[in-house]
Amino acid sequence: MSRVSARMPPTQAESVIKNIIREIGQECAAHGETVSETLAAFMVKAVVLDPSNGFNMDRTLMKSDVQKLVKLCVSRLLDSKNPSLDTIKMQVYFDMNYTSRAALQSIFPQAELGTFLTLSKKDKERQLKELTMVVTGIRLFNRDCGKGGEGIDDLPAILQEAIPATTQHIDSQLQIAQDQAYRYTAILETVAENPLLSMELQPYMLKEALYNMRQYETFLQIILSDIITCAQEVEMMIKQLGAQLEQLKMTVKSKTAVPTSQVFPIFIALSNLWTSFQDETVLISVLSNLTTHLEPFLGAHELLFPEKVMQNLLDGLTVKTDVCRMKEHMEDRVRPVDFRKQEWLFPETTANFDKLLIQYRGFCAYTFATTDGLLLPGNPAIGILKYKEKYYTFNTRDAAYLFAESPENYIDLIKEKAKKNAELIQLLELHQQFETLIPYSQMKDVDKHHIKPITKCESSTQTDTHILPPTIVRSYEWNEWELRRKAIKLANLRRKVTHSVQTDLSHMRRENCSQVYPPKDASTQSMRESSTRVPRPQIYIAGLRGGQGKITYGVKVNLTRAVDET
């Protein structure tokens, strides 16, 4: 019997997995359902993770195991009324389609055409790109002046009209999704309190429907955040465009000829700015289409929960929003003194409180673990538990206290629940625990999501006024003029003479004395004795006599010694 080994070489294992995925796709196509390879691969991993299916990857898989795996995957992929399948399809589609934030003769003189043709391909591409940018800048300038630029769309105006319309549409869809999620939560909260209702409502797949709606809500929030960022970028670029055009007008004015070194950089800047407008237009279009294509993944709600069924389930229940749930326990905060080992973070003690990455996408970990998967929003205001460099929030203080007693137990329960419902892995961001199911769009950022808290507290210190004995010299004076004054005073004192007078009445009554500086002989001596002497000139003229001709030629010879030789 042929077998598939879990520890076979990577290339062989990859080939076997591809065959399984191909077989799943063919089986689904035979039943009229088109399934992408990505969706089939995700479903294979989801089925293997589910412990109820009995797959053990530590042992060798038999051929019957492979057939069972294919059968289970095909069965789940063909279940059109299962919200869990819709959620998985939505996650795969979003991961695969989501895009985040990213006059010729005068320009190219005929004399330079030969030089251009001799350039390398890379240099040609660079020059042609620069040429295109300059031409684009010129056309944009002519369009603004009303002298040309036909066929250029008014991208700023298009974006200013498209962004509010797209934002309004997403806001309305987000509101609908949140209202539906609040209704599911109210029903499931009642079921958690009354176990008898659990068996009665099990066929409705309420939890799967809640996961589907919460995932849809999360994707809409991501898209809405990108559109808001896009709107801010567009507003800034419109200001830059106006400034660039105004600068160009001031440079050109009514001149017939302007140096290219002055205008070409501005034309290139205009082109780059216009390219950014085009990028924002494409991004808005992609995000808008992505929003539209997410809606079909909500089809199971109308089939399973028509309005009449929902009204019956909601009879006598109070539907609460996430904000209302947080306000109910806003004042019921955790007391850190009740814990010795756990660390709790609060808004007033943590500088980057709002930027911490909360586990399980901000849902209460204790409630999810103890109610078999109920999603209730956690309230960071009552306290965030820091456990093994991860952060957890809870909807009530009691839930926080119970979770803090044994965190590992509840974390394991959540992991086991995620194995049964694979859509929870992406919904609750459990990618580190299931690394094989990390979405491609988030694979590079898994290790970058850890933002450590910057704690803050009031503190004070006190020191003695003077720890060391004072070393101040009272007689020290830094002022040069004060020092001169004291020197003059001492010099005058030395020239003073003390006089005494004695009268008959004071004779022999007391002793008087005075003190003067006695004169003294003083002399100075230089370091050495030296003298100088001017050298004696010694100049001779040769050839004055003894010559044979009538004409006498004299030669002047200076034999005077140099000064430093004397």
Side-chain angles (χ1 to χ4, degrees):
M1 180 177 292
S2 62
R3 300 186 299 178
V4 179
S5 174
R7 297 184 178 180
M8 62 179 62
T11 55
Q12 186 178 355
E14 183 179 352
S15 176
V16 172
I17 293 173
K18 286 184 178 180
N19 291 333
I20 294 175
I21 293 173
R22 188 181 302 110
E23 186 174 350
I24 292 173
Q26 292 173 353
E27 289 287 338
C28 291
H31 290 81
E33 185 72 21
T34 303
V35 176
S36 65
E37 290 187 358
T38 305
L39 179 58
F42 188 95
M43 189 58 68
V44 169
K45 296 174 183 178
V47 169
V48 171
L49 281 176
D50 191 346
S52 63
N53 294 325
F55 289 99
N56 185 0
M57 297 307 296
D58 292 332
R59 66 175 178 83
T60 303
L61 295 178
M62 310 294 290
K63 184 177 181 180
S64 58
D65 294 330
V66 176
Q67 293 175 349
K68 178 184 176 182
L69 175 60
V70 173
K71 184 178 179 180
L72 288 173
C73 291
V74 173
S75 176
R76 293 188 61 174
L77 289 169
L78 295 179
D79 189 0
S80 60
K81 295 183 179 181
N82 191 343
S84 178
L85 176 62
D86 286 342
T87 305
I88 292 175
K89 287 182 178 180
M90 185 194 307
Q91 292 170 346
V92 172
Y93 178 82
F94 188 86
D95 183 49
M96 294 178 63
N97 294 275
Y98 174 67
T99 303
S100 60
R101 307 214 51 91
L104 184 60
Q105 178 64 26
S106 63
I107 298 173
F108 207 147
Q110 190 70 26
E112 297 183 8
L113 185 58
T115 304
F116 171 77
L117 294 175
T118 60
L119 295 176
S120 63
K121 180 180 179 181
K122 186 175 181 180
D123 292 334
K124 288 179 181 178
E125 290 176 352
R126 180 182 57 79
Q127 286 208 11
L128 285 175
K129 183 178 179 181
E130 183 177 344
L131 169 64
T132 305
M133 294 170 69
V134 172
V135 173
T136 302
I138 293 174
R139 295 197 65 206
L140 290 172
F141 177 67
N142 291 337
R143 174 181 172 277
D144 184 70
C145 297
K147 299 179 180 179
E150 292 82 3
I152 300 179
D153 295 329
D154 192 354
L155 295 184
I158 293 174
L159 286 170
Q160 286 181 320
E161 181 180 352
I163 290 177
T166 307
T167 304
Q168 184 178 359
H169 173 68
I170 295 178
D171 279 333
S172 63
Q173 292 297 111
L174 185 59
Q175 187 63 46
I176 294 173
Q178 289 175 338
D179 291 342
Q180 189 74 349
Y182 299 154
R183 298 166 79 185
Y184 289 145
T185 303
I187 299 172
L188 288 170
E189 195 173 17
T190 305
V191 172
E193 297 172 356
N194 188 355
L196 295 177
L197 291 175
S198 179
M199 297 298 297
E200 181 181 348
L201 296 178
Q202 186 175 4
Y204 286 101
M205 294 184 287
L206 278 167
K207 289 179 183 177
E208 288 78 2
L210 175 61
Y211 301 156
N212 180 265
M213 198 56 67
R214 284 294 190 181
Q215 185 65 81
Y216 180 59
E217 175 192 357
T218 301
F219 287 155
L220 289 181
Q221 289 174 341
I222 293 174
I223 296 173
L224 184 60
S225 175
D226 287 346
I227 292 179
I228 292 174
T229 303
C230 181
Q232 296 171 348
E233 291 291 328
V234 169
E235 183 179 358
M236 180 182 65
M237 289 190 300
I238 289 176
K239 294 180 181 179
Q240 294 177 352
L241 179 64
Q244 292 285 358
L245 290 172
E246 186 64 26
Q247 180 184 359
L248 197 54
K249 290 178 182 178
M250 294 295 295
T251 304
V252 176
K253 290 184 178 179
S254 58
K255 299 177 182 177
T256 57
V258 182
T260 57
S261 59
Q262 296 182 13
V263 293
F264 276 20
I266 305 178
F267 287 144
I268 294 175
L270 276 177
S271 176
N272 289 329
L273 202 56
W274 201 255
T275 302
S276 299
F277 277 113
Q278 293 174 335
D279 293 340
E280 297 297 332
T281 305
V282 172
L283 180 59
I284 288 293
S285 177
V286 170
L287 294 176
S288 179
N289 292 333
L290 183 59
T291 304
T292 304
H293 286 89
L294 289 179
E295 296 177 12
F297 299 111
L298 308 175
H301 297 276
E302 291 294 334
L303 296 175
L304 298 175
F305 308 103
E307 189 60 28
K308 185 177 180 180
V309 174
M310 289 298 297
Q311 291 300 331
N312 292 334
L313 295 175
L314 291 170
D315 187 23
L317 301 182
T318 302
V319 178
K320 302 177 183 178
T321 65
D322 289 349
V323 177
C324 291
R325 292 180 183 276
M326 291 184 183
K327 289 182 179 179
E328 287 180 351
H329 306 281
M330 188 66 71
E331 302 300 328
D332 197 15
R333 306 181 67 182
V334 172
R335 294 186 295 267
V337 294
D338 296 338
F339 301 89
R340 295 183 178 180
K341 297 181 179 180
Q342 281 82 3
E343 180 181 356
W344 293 88
L345 306 176
F346 299 93
E348 63 273 11
T349 60
T350 308
N352 57 342
F353 188 80
D354 296 333
K355 297 181 180 180
L356 297 179
L357 179 66
I358 307 300
Q359 293 296 302
Y360 311 128
R361 211 179 283 274
F363 292 108
C364 177
Y366 175 80
T367 303
F368 184 85
T370 56
T371 59
D372 194 29
L374 175 60
L375 295 177
L376 289 182
N379 187 358
I382 68 175
I384 295 179
L385 172 64
K386 181 181 178 181
Y387 178 73
K388 291 186 177 181
E389 301 301 325
K390 295 181 180 179
Y391 311 99
Y392 303 86
T393 57
F394 311 92
N395 64 320
T396 63
R397 184 174 66 181
D398 293 340
Y401 277 53
L402 292 171
F403 183 90
E405 290 178 358
S406 180
E408 287 296 336
N409 180 38
Y410 298 106
I411 292 173
D412 290 340
L413 289 175
I414 295 173
K415 183 177 180 180
E416 291 302 317
K417 177 62 179 175
K419 289 181 179 179
K420 298 178 182 179
N421 296 82
E423 66 271 22
L424 290 173
I425 297 174
Q426 183 167 349
L427 175 60
L428 301 182
E429 297 181 316
L430 302 176
H431 307 127
Q432 287 187 327
Q433 300 181 32
F434 302 92
E435 294 183 358
T436 56
L437 295 180
I438 297 179
Y440 176 76
S441 59
Q442 302 178 14
M443 188 175 297
K444 297 180 180 179
D445 300 328
V446 169
D447 296 330
K448 299 180 181 179
H449 286 172
H450 299 285
I451 301 178
K452 295 186 178 181
I454 303 174
T455 55
K456 56 182 180 179
C457 62
E458 295 183 0
S459 62
S460 60
T461 58
Q462 184 176 1
T463 59
D464 294 335
T465 305
H466 296 292
I467 299 178
L468 300 176
T471 56
I472 301 175
V473 180
R474 300 295 179 182
S475 61
Y476 172 76
E477 182 61 56
W478 61 270
N479 194 325
E480 179 183 354
W481 294 103
E482 179 64 21
L483 293 174
R484 290 187 178 188
R485 187 186 68 81
K486 289 182 179 181
I488 293 173
K489 184 178 179 180
L490 291 174
N492 290 336
L493 180 63
R494 295 184 63 180
R495 291 196 295 269
K496 300 298 182 183
V497 178
T498 304
H499 298 277
S500 63
V501 179
Q502 190 172 15
T503 63
D504 293 338
L505 296 178
S506 64
H507 179 59
M508 299 299 292
R509 289 191 178 183
R510 66 169 180 165
E511 295 180 356
N512 293 324
C513 63
S514 62
Q515 183 178 4
V516 298
Y517 287 100
K520 66 178 181 178
D521 296 332
S523 61
T524 60
Q525 183 177 5
S526 60
M527 295 294 293
R528 64 173 181 171
E529 294 182 359
S530 180
S531 61
T532 60
R533 186 174 63 175
V534 178
R536 179 180 178 182
Q538 295 181 357
I539 300 174
Y540 300 92
I541 298 176
L544 294 179
R545 59 184 178 178
Q548 297 179 0
K550 295 181 178 181
I551 299 175
T552 303
Y553 297 95
V555 179
K556 184 177 180 180
V557 179
N558 188 358
L559 299 178
T560 305
R561 300 182 64 184
V563 175
D564 55 351
E565 295 179 357
T566 58

